[in-house]
């Protein structure tokens, strides 16, 4: 269907064919894509994007979990223009700094929880994760414990796509490609209550999943474990909210065995869950966190690692360079945009809006509109983050057979009806811009209902 339309639209056809000739897409079967042609996105405003056929689409994913303050924010454009003119680049390697890097570090420290007040810059979530891997291992090495270098993460976690991120993450499809992975990384089960708890209550399951960490620590030896790393709420794994007692148990175990706790805040950071960071919403006190996506609302690539006193002081007191960094660490233009983004978030009280107003409204409206749908097994989410399990049988939680890609079918109906939701296996996920209005939430939910109906028809 899409190809018929393309034939009437020479501009889009041109871009599609150039794209097919030269562009290798990330996380894509490029051969299959080239046969149908990529959708060409042309502009964005607020929570909407437009494609080259003029379709207006409600972006229920905020780009890729990142355009938190919405499209078309002049404040961010002006910050970039000004900084480009003033000083488009200078490095921060060789005893130099500049005001955007220094001020952004301060601005980030003003919103991070606890004592996470020292900031290391990177350009992507994956680089931030690689930074955490190297930094926590280095931390233990300078404590005289170079053997304390195993990182523990979870099945179905997403920590990015560099070799470090892929190895630390728990995506089995990714592990098969470009192997071998990094050594000294271990994984435990994910706290996916709806899908994997059997007859256990949420509380029992929370304990069991945390116990898996203790078992793993004891199996490899507490003296060999550097850190546990987890997303407060798993994002790309399908938006999985852990049982309420889970993180407190994890925290206790990390303390008991003197293991650092790292929170990957790349999605949960910057207001997504109704706090500045997901760690606050979930009651986690991490030693180190990564952030990216919402830091600049996706307007320019920038990421950071915020470090608490324990690690920061060790690095600062250790009389040797930390041989790690990126040419564009603290890039002035990206940093200027991130500063403007955080200030805009503060001015508009956006975190409070998510916590007290639009977040609860979104969660309630979704359940009112979708919970009774025959395909919907379970809805879980916090703030402006939601995961919806699609099932063949609500009562038994039976999934569709492997040859029915229910998520893809649903995602395609969404796209064709002016809504972007993402499919993660048989789960549908949404993560709209934080500036979304009540009327736009209503529209999102109504469109989702229609698309779930169409999906049901497609498989009946
Ligand atoms: C997106 C993501 C990353 C990777 O970020 P990139 O900017 O794509 O490298 C890492 N961790 C989490 C939790 C993410 O969602």
């Amino acid at each position: 269907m899409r190809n018929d339309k393309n034939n009437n639209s020479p501009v889009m056809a041109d871009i599609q064919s150039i794209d097919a000739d030269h562009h290798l897409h990330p996380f894509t079967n490029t051969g299959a894509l080239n046969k149908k042609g990529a959708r060409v996105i042309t502009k964005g405003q607020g929570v909407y994007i437009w494609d080259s056929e003029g379709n207006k689409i409600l972006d229920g994913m905020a780009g890729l979990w990142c355009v938190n303050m919405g499209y078309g924010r002049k404040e961010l454009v002006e910050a970039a223009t000004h900084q480009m003119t003033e000083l488009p680049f200078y490095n921060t390697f060789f005893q130099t700094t500049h005001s955007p890097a220094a001020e952004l570090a301060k601005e980030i420290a003003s919103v991070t929880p606890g004592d996470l007040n020292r900031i290391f810059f990177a350009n992507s979530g994956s680089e931030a994760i690689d930074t955490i891997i190297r930094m926590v291992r280095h931390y233990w090495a300078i404590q005289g414990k170079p053997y304390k270098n195993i990182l523990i993460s979870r099945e179905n976690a997403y920590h990015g796509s560099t070799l470090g991120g892929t190895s630390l993450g728990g995506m089995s499809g990714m592990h098969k490609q470009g192997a071998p992975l990094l050594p000294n990384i271990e994984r435990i089960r994910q706290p996916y209550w709806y899908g994997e708890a059997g007859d256990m209550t949420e509380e029992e399951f929370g304990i069991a999943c945390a116990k898996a960490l203790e078992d793993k620590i004891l199996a490899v030896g507490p003296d060999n474990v550097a850190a546990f790393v987890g997303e407060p709420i798993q994002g790309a794994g399908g938006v999985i909210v852990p049982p309420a007692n889970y993180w407190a148990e994890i925290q206790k175990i990390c303390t008991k065995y003197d293991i650092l706790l790292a929170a990957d805040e790349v999605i949960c950071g910057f207001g997504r869950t109704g706090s500045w960071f997901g760690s606050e919403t979930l009651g986690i006190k991490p030693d180190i966190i990564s952030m990216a996506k919402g830091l600049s609302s996706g307007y320019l690539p920038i990421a950071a690692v915020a470090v608490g006193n324990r690690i920061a002081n060790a690095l600062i007191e250790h009389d040797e360079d930390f041989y790690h960094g990126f040419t564009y660490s603290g890039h002035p233009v990206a940093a200027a945009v991130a500063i403007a983004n955080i200030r805009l978030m503060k001015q508009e009280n956006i975190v409070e809006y998510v916590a007290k107003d639009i977040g609860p409204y979104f969660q309630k409206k979704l359940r009112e509109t979708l919970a009774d749908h025959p395909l919907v097994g379970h809805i879980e989410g916090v703030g402006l983050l939601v995961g919806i399990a699609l099932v063949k049988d609500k009562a038994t939680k039976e999934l569709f057979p492997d040859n029915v890609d229910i998520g893809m079918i649903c995602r395609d109906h969404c796209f064709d009806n002016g809504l972007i939701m993402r499919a993660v296996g048989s789960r549908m996920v949404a993560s709209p811009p934080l500036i979304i209005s009540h009327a736009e939430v209503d529209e999102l939910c109504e469109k989702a209902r229609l698309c779930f109906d169409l999906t049901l028809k497609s498989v009946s």
Side-chain angles (χ1 to χ4, degrees), residues 124-126 129 158-160 231 264 266-267 293:
S124 67
S126 303
I129 286 294
Y158 187 74
H159 296 300
E231 303 152 83
D264 184 351
V266 170
I267 285 176
K293 296 181 172 125

Side-chain angles (χ1 to χ4, degrees), residues 399-453:
L399 297 174
F400 284 89
D402 283 348
N403 63 350
V404 180
D405 196 343
I406 194 76
M408 271 322 151
I409 295 169
C410 187
R411 188 197 70 176
D412 287 346
H413 281 304
C414 288
F415 231 139
D416 291 340
N417 286 281
L419 172 66
I420 293 182
M421 280 183 91
R422 180 170 161 189
V424 178
S426 56
R427 294 174 69 76
M428 296 304 294
V429 303
S431 163
L434 309 187
I435 48 107
I436 193 169
S437 69
H438 288 232
E440 288 159 350
V441 163
D442 293 350
E443 182 189 338
L444 187 156
C445 291
E446 279 149 27
K447 283 192 164 148
R449 175 87 199 192
L450 168 75
C451 297
F452 284 23
D453 285 345

Side-chain angles (χ1 to χ4, degrees), residues 5 7 51 78 92 128 143 253 260 274 284 323 343 424 426 445 460:
K5 287 190 201 164
N7 297 338
D51 69 16
E78 279 158 15
T92 51
Q143 308 301 303
I253 293 164
L260 297 169
I284 313 166
Y323 299 112
R343 291 188 180 155
V424 178
S426 56
C445 291
S460 305

Side-chain angles (χ1 to χ4, degrees), residues 36-349:
K36 65 176 187 180
R39 195 179 291 257
V40 181
I41 306 302
T42 53
K43 64 171 186 174
Q45 185 61 46
V47 299
Y48 295 99
I49 56 169
W50 281 260
D51 69 16
S52 56
E53 297 176 305
N55 295 309
K56 181 183 178 186
I57 304 164
L58 201 170
D59 183 7
M61 282 305 296
L64 203 45
W65 326 81
C66 56
V67 187
N68 287 7
M69 293 305 283
Y71 297 93
R73 300 308 299 249
K74 291 204 176 51
E75 298 87 342
L76 306 190
V77 178
E78 279 158 15
T81 309
H82 175 77
Q83 189 56 46
M84 281 260 185
T85 314
E86 201 73 15
L87 178 71
F89 177 72
Y90 200 72
N91 76 72
T92 51
F93 279 32
F94 307 121
Q95 320 268 302
T96 55
T97 192
H98 41 67
S99 105
E103 285 197 53
L104 177 58
K106 182 177 173 207
E107 202 62 66
I108 291 173
S110 78
V111 296
T112 46
D115 68 349
L116 300 167
N117 292 326
R118 305 269 181 177
I119 314 299
F120 192 100
F121 289 113
N123 308 289
S124 67
S126 303
E127 289 178 6
I129 286 294
D130 280 40
T131 300
I132 286 183
I133 296 172
R134 294 198 65 210
M135 200 182 270
V136 300
R137 286 177 169 171
H138 180 56
Y139 166 81
W140 287 114
I142 62 184
Q143 308 301 303
K145 296 184 174 178
Y147 45 82
K148 203 167 163 66
N149 60 30
I150 294 175
L151 286 102
I152 303 178
S153 64
R154 300 175 298 180
E155 301 297 343
N156 199 34
Y158 187 74
H159 296 300
S161 177
T162 50
L163 183 56
T166 300
S167 303
L168 189 64
M171 296 289 168
S172 51
M174 291 175 74
H175 290 167
K176 288 188 200 125
Q177 300 174 340
L181 303 174
L182 288 185
N184 290 16
I185 288 174
E186 297 282 340
R187 271 173 293 272
I188 59 169
R189 71 184 301 182
Q190 61 173 339
Y192 178 26
W193 179 71
Y194 175 77
E196 299 180 0
D199 293 333
M200 274 186 259
T201 64
E202 275 204 69
E203 207 179 343
E204 289 164 352
F205 188 63
I207 302 274
C209 291
K211 176 80 169 30
L213 175 60
E214 184 158 32
D215 293 345
K216 180 63 82 178
I217 291 169
L218 294 173
V220 299
D223 258 0
N224 301 321
V225 182
F228 175 73
V229 186
E231 303 152 83
I233 293 171
Q234 285 158 263
V239 181
I240 291 161
V241 183
N245 60 350
Y246 173 77
W247 275 110
E249 289 300 316
I250 292 280
Q251 184 99 44
K252 267 191 235 159
I253 293 164
C254 288
T255 307
K256 180 171 172 189
Y257 296 102
D258 198 17
I259 283 157
L260 297 169
L261 180 51
D264 184 351
E265 293 270 9
V266 170
I267 285 176
C268 293
F270 295 93
R272 175 67 51 202
T273 69
S275 311
W276 278 96
F277 289 89
S279 291
E280 297 159 85
T281 306
L282 284 279
I284 313 166
K285 292 195 174 61
D287 298 290
I288 184 167
I289 63 177
S290 53
M291 64 194 80
K293 296 181 172 125
L295 170 56
S296 64
S297 283
Y299 278 54
L300 281 176
I302 184 162
V305 170
V307 184
N309 290 336
R310 182 174 180 184
I311 300 173
N313 291 342
L315 287 176
I316 292 164
E317 284 157 21
H318 181 68
D319 188 20
E320 186 193 13
D321 290 3
F322 179 38
Y323 299 112
H324 178 75
F326 308 98
T327 299
Y328 300 131
S329 283
H331 190 285
V333 182
V337 170
I339 293 167
N341 182 59
I342 296 173
R343 291 188 180 155
L344 194 59
M345 290 181 71
K346 287 178 174 173
Q347 257 167 39
E348 298 190 356
N349 283 321

